[in-house]
Amino acid sequence: MPHFHFPDDLVSLKQDQIRIYRRLALQPALDTAVLRRELIRLSCLINAHPYWEQRAWSTVGRVELQQAAEAGLDAVREPVLGARSS
């Protein structure tokens, strides 16, 4: 299985996208239109990133980008709204 090395800015874009998806899941009624527009903008930036010109688009690459972005988010645990701290 190939291993991809993603540029930091591409991982950061994907992390922003994940954060917005999580916000929509937690608070689907708040600023929905604004958040959805931001998701579209981020998707366009991710898909048009110069990295994909060097490496052809692949499902495996997209999955590894998702995993790399989530790993970075998990390392910096973000507070979840409504969650109690121990």
Side-chain angles (χ1 to χ4, degrees), residues 19-75:
R19 284 186 192 100
I20 292 173
Y21 273 119
R22 289 178 181 176
R23 258 180 86 186
L24 278 169
L26 292 172
Q27 300 174 328
L30 299 177
D31 300 325
T32 301
V34 172
L35 293 175
R36 289 185 189 281
R37 277 193 297 273
E38 182 62 9
L39 282 175
I40 292 168
R41 186 186 78 81
L42 289 168
S43 291
C44 290
L45 290 172
I46 290 167
N47 288 329
H49 194 279
Y51 174 82
W52 301 116
E53 291 175 14
Q54 299 167 2
R55 293 222 178 215
W57 187 97
S58 72
T59 302
V60 173
R62 299 299 169 131
V63 169
E64 284 205 19
L65 175 59
Q66 178 79 21
Q67 291 171 343
E70 287 176 348
L73 287 175
D74 290 342

Side-chain angles (χ1 to χ4, degrees), residues 3-17:
H3 184 69
F4 297 85
H5 298 283
F6 300 105
D8 291 340
D9 64 325
L10 180 57
V11 174
S12 180
L13 288 170
K14 188 64 180 177
Q15 288 172 334
D16 290 345
Q17 188 182 50

